[in-house]
Amino acid sequence: MSGILLRARYGVPLGRTDQGTFDMDTGTPATGDFGALLHGLRKRAGLSQEELAHSAGVSVRALSYMERGHSRGPQRRTVQALAAALGQDAAGARELERAASLGRPRRVSVRHAPPPAVVQDAAPPTGGPDLLPRAPRGFHGRAAELVALSRAAEGEAPVCLVVGPAGVGKTALVLHWAHHRRADFPDGQLYADLRGFGGTGEPALVEVLREFLPALGVPHDRIPESANGAAALFRSLAADRRLLVVLDNARDSEQVRPLLPGGRHCVTVVTSRHRLPGLIVTDTARSVAVDVLGPEDATMLLAEVLGVERVREEPEAALRLAELCDGLPLALRVAAARLAGRPAWSLGAMAAELSDETRRLSLLDVEDTGVRAALRVTLQQLPREVSRQFAHLGRHPGTHVDRFAAAALAGTDPAAAEASLERLAVAHLVTETAPGRWTMHDLVRLYARSLEGGPEALRRVLDHYIATGIAAVAAAEPGNEDCFPLPADYLPPAVVREFDDRSAAVAWYAVERDDLTQAVAAAHAAGLHDRTWRIALTMWPLIVWRVRDGWAPLLETALEAARAGGDRYGESRVLNVLGWVLTEEGRIPEALTHLEDASTLASRAGDAVAEANALVVLGVAQAALGSLGEAARGCERAVELAREAGDRTIERLAMQHLARHWADAGKWRQALDTATEALAFDDRADTADVPRILLLMVRGEALLGLGDEAGGIGQLDLAAREAESSGYDDGAVRALGALLRASADGGLRARYDAAVARLMTRT
């Protein structure tokens, strides 16, 4: 399309005119051929600045500068992208390129250029300096992070913090972004590696400025000798320029501040393994977090190095490799490099080798590059007490720690442990997944385990779980006997977590369940049998509330440990809980065997409380087989044993089950009297514990059986509401089910369905 046709079709003047200036807010074109032409073409195409910028791959700010005539003629590739986004044909693209070329400065021969008379006359090399390293090869993904970085770079003199763990690809992300955003920074791109996490030492401030200032046109002999003078000169030269300054691998905020350009149109991007909160406070820095890659992007990175076909031939092995490398780009590249050097190797073979945790980190090292080297340097930057805490975290058997567990591991107090965890989080060695709970990526955890954490760390954290479990039981089921005596060589933690009420204990059980289970497994593997069964038994309130959640394997491990340690007391207690769980799972023959053994062991030991407990649970199994009379007789004997031992809690529990057996047998009066007696002698109306809820249910059913409909419905409704409020979903389902059989209240069905849904979806 010729220039004449462009003028006729779009009404865009190609020569210099006086048609007005471009207003920043209104978007009217400024004087200037390229800006006016671009503005007219965009308006004719019906595109907003945001739409054209997105299609052409430039920023809205850069496009705005172009249209306002504040930008020098953009580079050829930017013009081509704009022409394509505007739907221009070849002639139209040439015309747009011609207009852009008129605004590009001509190179002046250095041979004939007069030397600057004073430093203030310094000018950047024609076209703007470019100190950026080459663009990274094989870059893939990171769409969300690139968008976040672009957003962080908007505004006046922004400082962008790109932060993340070692080896995650922060520098690659920033360089990829910077190379694709050159048009935004026509006055140049500066780069410095601050080596905050390297073994070669950090560059002095003046050393960095002696690279920046000549790039901005300052002769070497005119650079101030002092760091402060050089920094001041840098700021003055940057004041009216549109520069990108990349400060890579910064150790802390203090290292960065003297290098901030300060110009209104300058953008500074800082990468660091630390969060640098100081820059956020003093310079309103905007943070862009970079984490490990997802499975799809991780496999694509492998494909960039190994070739698409090789990865496509073994998709499952590629995904497994990505998983074993923890999605960490550095680890993925090392693994890919090993495979690239061995074309005959399959991805599956490499995955099999990496599956060995004892070798994984060594296999992810190549020469002086690898995961261990990167983590080692990060750790060296931290205070000794923080590094020590990190090494002790490697002895934790689970995946999450709180400040109490961390303190137990390191043999310190929770306040000191929390301070260290926060420093480790700033260094991206741990991640705070919820308030007060931290975890590590898998490769970081393996590295921590390779460090010296002390021989007593595991025992200390196991004893922490025992102490905390006992405190949780006391809060969740007040009035019950202690779970067990403590081990002979028990190591008490400096501070034991306190629970204000039942809900606090329930919340702790909910979040710690997996870690408690892993603690049981770790204790068993280490031969600490006395810890194994004790930690399992501290979970009994959770087992009661969620009895059908597959507890048998955990309790079988605890039983094996109690027997291995020759602890008859522990064996009897574990058999009792295991027998009850098996009964609830419908495995009655197995349950009967365990429960009879539990009763026998307790009787031989003269442990009346344990025997009463076993008889109560044995009655549950007998009732499941239809032997209600036998079950009732066992519970009556349990009541006698509890009274002899003076244990009101077990007495109440035995009466609760006795009342249940009477009700199931249709003996309503006996059921009502027994339940009423149990509630009366230990009435805790302000505490919605499980036995009380179950006694209220029996009372309700008995009253209904005796013809008192209003009284029965009232008791069942009270039981249901207490179960719902305490999170006892199994009890809520039972009580609401009984209510539905007795009442036509329309709201009951919704409450019942909600309780069933909670019961089915919990883990």
Side-chain angles (χ1 to χ4, degrees):
M1 183 181 295
S2 69
I4 296 174
L5 286 176
L6 278 170
R7 282 191 289 270
R9 181 170 297 180
Y10 298 114
V12 178
L14 294 182
R16 296 189 178 276
T17 71
D18 296 320
Q19 293 192 1
T21 60
F22 189 101
D23 183 84
M24 185 181 299
D25 297 322
T26 63
T28 55
T31 300
D33 295 344
F34 178 75
L37 175 58
L38 179 61
H39 176 80
L41 290 172
R42 178 175 63 78
K43 289 294 186 181
R44 179 66 178 175
L47 298 173
S48 67
Q49 283 189 342
E50 289 78 6
E51 291 168 336
L52 178 56
H54 177 75
S55 299
V58 300
S59 72
V60 175
R61 184 174 68 173
L63 181 60
S64 175
Y65 279 140
M66 293 179 208
E67 291 192 358
R68 295 203 305 266
H70 293 178
S71 176
R72 300 182 181 189
Q75 296 182 5
R76 183 183 298 274
R77 64 183 179 185
T78 301
V79 177
Q80 291 172 344
L82 288 167
L86 289 164
Q88 294 295 294
D89 58 16
R94 284 195 299 271
E95 186 64 31
L96 196 61
E97 167 57 26
R98 186 197 67 78
S101 68
L102 295 176
R104 295 179 188 137
R106 299 292 184 267
R107 271 190 195 278
V108 178
S109 172
V110 176
R111 199 179 340 179
H112 303 296
V118 292
V119 168
Q120 283 76 2
D121 295 334
T126 303
D130 185 354
L131 301 185
L132 292 176
R134 64 172 176 81
R137 296 173 183 171
F139 185 87
H140 184 80
R142 299 297 192 194
E145 290 87 346
L146 289 168
V147 170
L149 181 52
S150 293
R151 288 175 178 167
E154 298 291 338
E156 185 174 309
V159 178
C160 313
L161 293 179
V162 178
V163 296
V168 82
K170 300 179 293 293
T171 301
L173 171 74
V174 170
L175 291 179
H176 177 82
W177 178 86
H179 278 279
H180 282 77
R181 299 294 293 271
R182 289 178 182 275
D184 291 3
F185 310 104
D187 293 324
Q189 300 87 37
L190 305 179
Y191 172 90
D193 184 355
L194 301 184
R195 303 197 297 270
F197 302 93
T200 57
E202 300 170 8
L205 170 61
V206 73
E207 182 182 337
V208 176
L209 292 168
R210 283 174 181 159
E211 292 186 8
F212 283 4
L213 291 172
L216 296 175
V218 180
H220 286 280
D221 60 356
R222 293 180 180 262
I223 296 175
E225 292 185 4
S226 73
N228 287 339
L233 177 58
F234 171 58
R235 289 192 295 272
S236 68
L237 291 176
D240 297 321
R241 288 173 165 86
R242 287 195 299 281
L243 292 170
L244 170 65
V245 180
V246 177
L247 303 175
D248 202 11
N249 290 311
R251 169 181 42 83
D252 55 27
S253 301
E254 184 180 359
Q255 192 185 22
V256 169
R257 287 194 187 98
L259 294 170
L260 296 179
R264 292 181 62 248
H265 305 303
C266 293
V267 173
T268 306
V269 180
V270 182
T271 75
S272 181
R273 298 178 191 181
H274 293 170
R275 292 179 183 167
L276 306 189
L279 280 182
I280 298 174
V281 173
T282 61
D283 296 274
T284 322
R286 304 164 189 173
S287 185
V288 177
V290 184
D291 207 342
V292 297
L293 295 171
E296 183 178 347
D297 285 339
T299 54
M300 287 301 296
L301 191 152
L302 290 172
E304 292 282 355
V305 180
L306 299 173
V308 175
E309 290 302 321
R310 192 171 177 186
V311 171
R312 188 177 293 163
E313 287 175 0
E314 297 182 79
E316 292 183 5
L319 284 171
R320 178 60 177 156
L321 268 180
E323 178 186 357
L324 292 168
C325 290
D326 213 13
L328 192 69
L330 173 62
L332 288 161
R333 290 184 181 279
V334 171
R338 286 188 176 277
L339 283 165
R342 301 179 181 180
W345 260 31
S346 67
L347 273 66
M350 184 69 183
E353 292 217 354
L354 286 176
S355 295
D356 183 354
E357 289 190 354
T358 63
R359 300 184 59 213
R360 190 178 305 166
L361 286 175
S362 62
L363 290 169
L364 294 176
D365 284 340
V366 173
E367 297 180 346
D368 60 345
T369 299
V371 177
R372 281 190 301 193
L375 292 172
R376 185 184 307 115
V377 171
T378 302
L379 204 60
Q380 287 170 351
Q381 303 293 326
L382 297 172
R384 182 177 177 277
E385 67 274 11
V386 179
S387 298
R388 179 176 176 274
Q389 180 70 73
F390 177 80
H392 282 93
L393 291 177
R395 296 296 178 271
H396 188 261
T399 58
H400 290 78
V401 297
D402 60 13
R403 64 195 185 104
F404 296 97
L409 283 162
T412 184
D413 62 87
E418 185 171 29
S420 292
L421 287 167
E422 288 175 350
R423 287 294 300 272
L424 291 169
V426 167
H428 291 94
L429 289 172
V430 302
T431 302
E432 192 172 12
T433 57
R437 283 179 63 76
W438 289 266
T439 190
M440 293 176 171
H441 286 300
D442 289 344
L443 292 177
V444 178
R445 184 178 292 106
L446 283 179
Y447 179 67
R449 287 177 182 170
S450 72
L451 304 176
E452 178 54 50
E456 297 296 329
L458 176 61
R459 195 151 60 93
R460 283 197 302 266
V461 77
L462 294 175
D463 288 351
H464 148 75
Y465 281 124
I466 290 174
T468 312
I470 291 172
V473 170
E477 298 293 341
N480 281 280
E481 64 164 338
D482 291 340
C483 296
F484 38 69
L486 295 171
D489 57 348
Y490 173 72
L491 298 173
V495 178
V496 178
R497 183 175 189 145
E498 296 180 355
F499 300 95
D500 294 334
D501 51 29
R502 173 189 299 277
S503 62
V506 170
W508 181 79
Y509 277 122
V511 299
E512 293 287 353
R513 173 176 174 172
D514 288 344
D515 287 294
L516 288 167
T517 301
Q518 290 167 321
V520 170
H524 192 48
L528 297 171
H529 304 304
D530 51 355
R531 271 76 175 175
T532 304
W533 67 262
R534 282 177 167 87
I535 296 174
L537 282 190
T538 63
M539 300 172 70
W540 75 259
L542 185 61
I543 296 172
V544 169
W545 299 328
R546 300 183 174 182
V547 67
R548 296 183 183 88
D549 275 9
W551 298 102
L554 174 78
L555 293 167
E556 285 164 355
T557 299
L559 178 61
E560 184 179 337
R563 286 173 172 168
D567 193 319
R568 299 300 186 192
Y569 176 92
E571 182 181 358
S572 172
R573 297 302 173 102
V574 175
L575 281 168
N576 189 32
V577 180
L578 176 57
W580 179 62
V581 167
L582 293 173
T583 300
E584 292 291 329
E585 291 181 357
R587 297 160 62 180
I588 307 301
E590 296 173 73
L592 286 171
T593 299
H594 289 316
L595 292 167
E596 287 166 356
D597 288 346
S599 177
T600 301
L601 283 171
S603 178
R604 288 175 181 171
D607 188 342
V609 172
E611 185 180 359
N613 226 327
L615 288 171
V616 167
V617 184
L618 181 59
V620 175
Q622 291 166 336
L625 294 176
S627 302
L628 293 172
E630 191 176 3
R633 287 190 293 275
C635 284
E636 288 174 327
R637 174 58 180 156
V639 171
E640 293 173 3
L641 288 167
R643 285 174 178 167
E644 290 172 8
D647 192 315
R648 298 284 282 175
T649 300
I650 294 299
E651 181 183 355
R652 178 173 177 251
L653 179 68
M655 293 181 72
Q656 169 216 314
H657 283 274
L658 178 59
R660 176 79 266 164
H661 300 322
W662 290 137
D664 288 343
K667 297 183 178 182
W668 303 119
R669 177 52 61 186
Q670 293 97 316
L672 179 61
D673 291 345
T674 304
T676 301
E677 181 184 357
L679 285 166
F681 81 77
D682 193 12
D683 187 11
R684 292 175 288 177
D686 59 335
T687 305
D689 64 346
V690 172
R692 170 181 163 79
I693 291 168
L694 296 175
L695 282 166
L696 288 171
M697 277 192 246
V698 172
R699 268 180 61 92
E701 292 175 34
L703 287 168
L704 287 173
L706 292 170
D708 185 354
E709 184 175 337
I713 289 175
Q715 291 291 290
L716 288 170
D717 185 61
L718 179 59
R721 293 189 184 282
E722 290 193 5
E724 289 169 317
S725 65
S726 64
Y728 180 32
D729 295 324
D730 188 63
V733 169
R734 294 184 189 184
L736 288 166
L739 273 172
L740 281 171
R741 293 189 293 272
S743 172
D745 186 343
L748 292 174
R749 173 56 63 180
R751 289 169 61 194
Y752 177 82
D753 291 342
V756 170
R758 290 193 301 271
L759 197 62
M760 296 298 292
T761 58
R762 71 191 180 194
T763 57

